[in-house]
Amino acid sequence: MPSIKGINMTVGQEQQAGMKEKQVLEDLETHLTRRDTEALFQEQPQTGNQYLEDTLLRSYLKTHLPPKVLEEVHQDLERFGNRLLTKIQRLSWECELNPPVFRQFDAWGRRVDRIHTCSAWRRMKEISAEEGLIAEAYEKRYSNWSRLYQAVKLYLFSSSSGGFSCPLAMTDGAAKVIESLGNPGSLKNAFDRLTSRDPEKFWTSGQWMTERRGGSDVANGTETVARKQPDGTYRLYGFKWFTSAADSDMALTLARIADAEGQCTQGSRGLSLFFLRVRDEDGKLNNIQVQRLKDKLGTRQMATAELWLQGARAELISAEGRGVAAISNMLNITRIHNVIGAVASMRRMISLSRDYACKRVAFGKLLKDHPLHMQTLARMEVQVRGAFLLLMEIVRLLGLAETNLASEQEQLLLRLLIPVAKLYTGKQASAVAVEAMESFGGQGYMEDTGLPVILRDALVLSIWEGTTNILSLDVLRSLAKSQGQVMAVFLSTVQKKLELASGTEQLSPAVQRAREAIGSLQQFMAATGSERALTMELAARDFSYSLARIYTGALLMEHAARPDASSTDVWAALRWCNQELCPVAVESGRGSYGAGAALQDSALVFGNSRL
């Protein structure tokens, strides 16, 4: 008779005991498996009040704003930061989960062309009015600081806006155009609504510039025709291939005015600017048909559509043939909004990465205790700090220009820095988003964390309102138009900032590197030679990057030279200036520009058979 632990047992009893023991072991194994699985759960990264946590933003405002303005602004931004955290962020996610839906026909086959947006999206519009996200810049409560204050609120709002920052950019641009035209009586109602704080009155605007032939080349790509009516209004006929915020209340658009014989002037001289209401008081479309909604990589929260204009009633608001000139103010504003979105996106990703580093344990310690991980986050932090200061510099200059306080030199500098900042921060935002996603490991790739949304939405920032190459050529145009004056202003402004920074001993290496970069930049410009036009076109991107890096480095050093600057401010300036500040000089030394290089580039891309 077998025994277990000294107990005599029959065969049947032995089998029964064996089964019980097996069950106990299985239960224990299951418990251990569940416990191990539960230990793999990760704590979600979170942020608090975005304004209070942004030490760079707060130090900048403290340094630059007049004390009374700072006091009022601080209170409002702290309140707004709490509202974003407790009320608005959840609406943002609702916008992502409930994208717009296009319903072309009703149940009885009648064409209705209705774009349905979610309640959270509509609430974002109301919040934008309540917070004065457009109004703040036009009320000018704080004189030349009003535009900067508006930009700060938009910067805080952007990452929680559920994509509503895009309609706000176009709304701001439309308001700017109308203001620049002198607020004519026929547009007073539109301007008042675009800049209203009343959610019941507030309008958003679209900008319908892109047609089937493409985006940036509006001079050759615009086919829409405007036919004058007996009452002085116009009817528009054409196809708008990419219209963002198609649910907006109004739009500004370009078209060619047909003469009595139906002929239109081609090129930019044939383009005029028009205002139109998208719908009438009953909500019926203004002789517009929606062909479809765009299936985009990102910004899915916002309705972007293809539209047929089939006699849409519109009002001519520019001088005939001066449409491109009339929208220049709009482009400046929307490009600045692009910079705001880029900086906000980077700040959001880094804030989440930083919080995650304080929670996630890997290889026996928190991520924040791994030096290599912290070095990676620090490199991203330097990028967003530089981008933020460049943004603040632009809106500071814009505020001066809008209140007639800017000198001629400051206006020239603003004209140069807007395309430089837009193209550079757009590239930064994409790079930082990819790097920051990696800092979360596999979780960064999971759709329901919300992190892929930030990446997708960031990718448009180097495309919308002009690609990197288009804006690089715009930088060259600003140089040519000013006959070299803008470069003289750029260099003297940087030199003044470096002179200030040279009084801080710890910044000496950065000051030295920046001065060497300026020297290299000047040498490059002096050595372009007989092939200047081709050389500058091939060098346009690297040249623009050089301007961005040098000026941003000067801003970081200026900020680090403040009496109350921290060691972190100094380290950020030093780190920024450790990179190649003048890539155009480096590439020029390698023979990357000129006719020979252009031919070789074509051969490399297409092969000799295509040459």
Side-chain angles (χ1 to χ4, degrees), residues 388-407:
F388 173 81
L389 291 177
L390 185 56
L391 166 62
M392 290 295 101
E393 178 77 346
I394 290 172
V395 293
R396 182 187 69 83
L397 292 170
L398 179 61
L400 290 172
E402 290 181 328
T403 51
N404 299 315
L405 296 174
S407 65

Short mmCIF file of all heavy atoms in Angstrom, two decimals, residues 388-407:
data_model
loop_
_atom_site.label_atom_id
_atom_site.label_comp_id
_atom_site.label_asym_id
_atom_site.label_seq_id
_atom_site.Cartn_x
_atom_site.Cartn_y
_atom_site.Cartn_z
N PHE A 388 10.59 77.67 -29.87
CA PHE A 388 9.69 78.55 -29.10
C PHE A 388 10.18 79.99 -29.12
O PHE A 388 9.40 80.93 -29.34
CB PHE A 388 9.58 78.06 -27.65
CG PHE A 388 8.81 79.00 -26.76
CD1 PHE A 388 7.43 78.99 -26.75
CD2 PHE A 388 9.47 79.92 -25.96
CE1 PHE A 388 6.71 79.88 -25.96
CE2 PHE A 388 8.78 80.80 -25.17
CZ PHE A 388 7.39 80.79 -25.16
N LEU A 389 11.46 80.20 -28.90
CA LEU A 389 12.00 81.57 -28.88
C LEU A 389 11.92 82.20 -30.27
O LEU A 389 11.69 83.42 -30.38
CB LEU A 389 13.44 81.56 -28.37
CG LEU A 389 13.62 81.21 -26.89
CD1 LEU A 389 15.09 81.16 -26.52
CD2 LEU A 389 12.88 82.22 -25.99
N LEU A 390 12.09 81.41 -31.32
CA LEU A 390 11.94 81.94 -32.68
C LEU A 390 10.50 82.36 -32.92
O LEU A 390 10.24 83.42 -33.52
CB LEU A 390 12.38 80.88 -33.69
CG LEU A 390 12.42 81.30 -35.17
CD1 LEU A 390 13.31 82.52 -35.38
CD2 LEU A 390 12.89 80.14 -36.03
N LEU A 391 9.55 81.56 -32.46
CA LEU A 391 8.12 81.92 -32.56
C LEU A 391 7.84 83.23 -31.83
O LEU A 391 7.18 84.13 -32.37
CB LEU A 391 7.27 80.79 -32.00
CG LEU A 391 5.79 81.13 -31.72
CD1 LEU A 391 5.07 81.52 -33.02
CD2 LEU A 391 5.09 79.98 -31.02
N MET A 392 8.31 83.34 -30.60
CA MET A 392 8.07 84.55 -29.83
C MET A 392 8.68 85.78 -30.48
O MET A 392 8.12 86.87 -30.45
CB MET A 392 8.63 84.38 -28.41
CG MET A 392 7.89 83.39 -27.53
SD MET A 392 6.18 83.88 -27.13
CE MET A 392 5.25 82.86 -28.30
N GLU A 393 9.83 85.61 -31.10
CA GLU A 393 10.47 86.72 -31.79
C GLU A 393 9.60 87.21 -32.95
O GLU A 393 9.43 88.42 -33.16
CB GLU A 393 11.85 86.29 -32.30
CG GLU A 393 12.61 87.35 -33.07
CD GLU A 393 13.25 88.42 -32.19
OE1 GLU A 393 12.89 88.52 -30.99
OE2 GLU A 393 14.11 89.17 -32.69
N ILE A 394 9.04 86.29 -33.69
CA ILE A 394 8.21 86.66 -34.84
C ILE A 394 6.94 87.38 -34.40
O ILE A 394 6.59 88.43 -34.97
CB ILE A 394 7.86 85.41 -35.67
CG1 ILE A 394 9.09 84.88 -36.37
CG2 ILE A 394 6.77 85.71 -36.69
CD1 ILE A 394 8.87 83.55 -37.03
N VAL A 395 6.24 86.85 -33.41
CA VAL A 395 4.99 87.49 -33.00
C VAL A 395 5.26 88.81 -32.27
O VAL A 395 4.43 89.72 -32.30
CB VAL A 395 4.11 86.54 -32.16
CG1 VAL A 395 3.62 85.38 -33.02
CG2 VAL A 395 4.84 86.02 -30.93
N ARG A 396 6.42 88.92 -31.64
CA ARG A 396 6.80 90.21 -31.05
C ARG A 396 6.96 91.26 -32.15
O ARG A 396 6.45 92.39 -32.03
CB ARG A 396 8.10 90.07 -30.26
CG ARG A 396 8.56 91.35 -29.57
CD ARG A 396 9.94 91.19 -28.96
NE ARG A 396 11.00 91.06 -29.97
CZ ARG A 396 11.56 92.10 -30.58
NH1 ARG A 396 11.16 93.34 -30.32
NH2 ARG A 396 12.51 91.90 -31.48
N LEU A 397 7.66 90.89 -33.21
CA LEU A 397 7.85 91.81 -34.33
C LEU A 397 6.53 92.11 -35.03
O LEU A 397 6.27 93.26 -35.44
CB LEU A 397 8.84 91.21 -35.33
CG LEU A 397 10.30 91.09 -34.87
CD1 LEU A 397 11.11 90.26 -35.86
CD2 LEU A 397 10.93 92.47 -34.69
N LEU A 398 5.67 91.10 -35.17
CA LEU A 398 4.36 91.32 -35.79
C LEU A 398 3.53 92.30 -34.97
O LEU A 398 2.85 93.17 -35.53
CB LEU A 398 3.62 89.99 -35.95
CG LEU A 398 2.22 90.07 -36.57
CD1 LEU A 398 2.27 90.66 -37.97
CD2 LEU A 398 1.56 88.69 -36.58
N GLY A 399 3.57 92.15 -33.66
CA GLY A 399 2.85 93.07 -32.79
C GLY A 399 3.30 94.50 -32.97
O GLY A 399 2.49 95.44 -32.98
N LEU A 400 4.59 94.70 -33.11
CA LEU A 400 5.13 96.05 -33.36
C LEU A 400 4.64 96.58 -34.70
O LEU A 400 4.24 97.74 -34.82
CB LEU A 400 6.66 96.01 -33.34
CG LEU A 400 7.33 95.76 -31.98
CD1 LEU A 400 8.83 95.57 -32.16
CD2 LEU A 400 7.05 96.92 -31.01
N ALA A 401 4.66 95.72 -35.73
CA ALA A 401 4.24 96.15 -37.06
C ALA A 401 2.76 96.51 -37.08
O ALA A 401 2.36 97.50 -37.73
CB ALA A 401 4.53 95.04 -38.07
N GLU A 402 1.94 95.75 -36.37
CA GLU A 402 0.49 95.99 -36.39
C GLU A 402 0.08 97.23 -35.62
O GLU A 402 -1.03 97.73 -35.80
CB GLU A 402 -0.23 94.76 -35.83
CG GLU A 402 -0.16 93.55 -36.76
CD GLU A 402 -0.89 92.35 -36.22
OE1 GLU A 402 -0.92 92.18 -34.97
OE2 GLU A 402 -1.44 91.59 -37.02
N THR A 403 0.95 97.72 -34.77
CA THR A 403 0.65 98.95 -34.01
C THR A 403 1.51 100.12 -34.47
O THR A 403 1.64 101.11 -33.75
CB THR A 403 0.85 98.69 -32.50
OG1 THR A 403 2.15 98.10 -32.28
CG2 THR A 403 -0.21 97.76 -31.94
N ASN A 404 2.10 99.97 -35.66
CA ASN A 404 2.91 101.03 -36.27
C ASN A 404 4.10 101.43 -35.40
O ASN A 404 4.52 102.59 -35.40
CB ASN A 404 2.05 102.26 -36.58
CG ASN A 404 0.93 101.95 -37.57
OD1 ASN A 404 1.16 101.29 -38.58
ND2 ASN A 404 -0.27 102.43 -37.27
N LEU A 405 4.63 100.48 -34.66
CA LEU A 405 5.78 100.74 -33.80
C LEU A 405 7.06 100.11 -34.32
O LEU A 405 8.13 100.31 -33.75
CB LEU A 405 5.49 100.23 -32.38
CG LEU A 405 4.34 100.92 -31.63
CD1 LEU A 405 4.07 100.21 -30.30
CD2 LEU A 405 4.65 102.39 -31.39
N ALA A 406 6.95 99.35 -35.40
CA ALA A 406 8.13 98.66 -35.94
C ALA A 406 8.94 99.59 -36.83
O ALA A 406 8.38 100.35 -37.64
CB ALA A 406 7.69 97.44 -36.74
N SER A 407 10.24 99.53 -36.68
CA SER A 407 11.13 100.29 -37.56
C SER A 407 11.17 99.60 -38.92
O SER A 407 10.69 98.47 -39.08
CB SER A 407 12.53 100.35 -36.97
OG SER A 407 13.10 99.05 -36.92
#
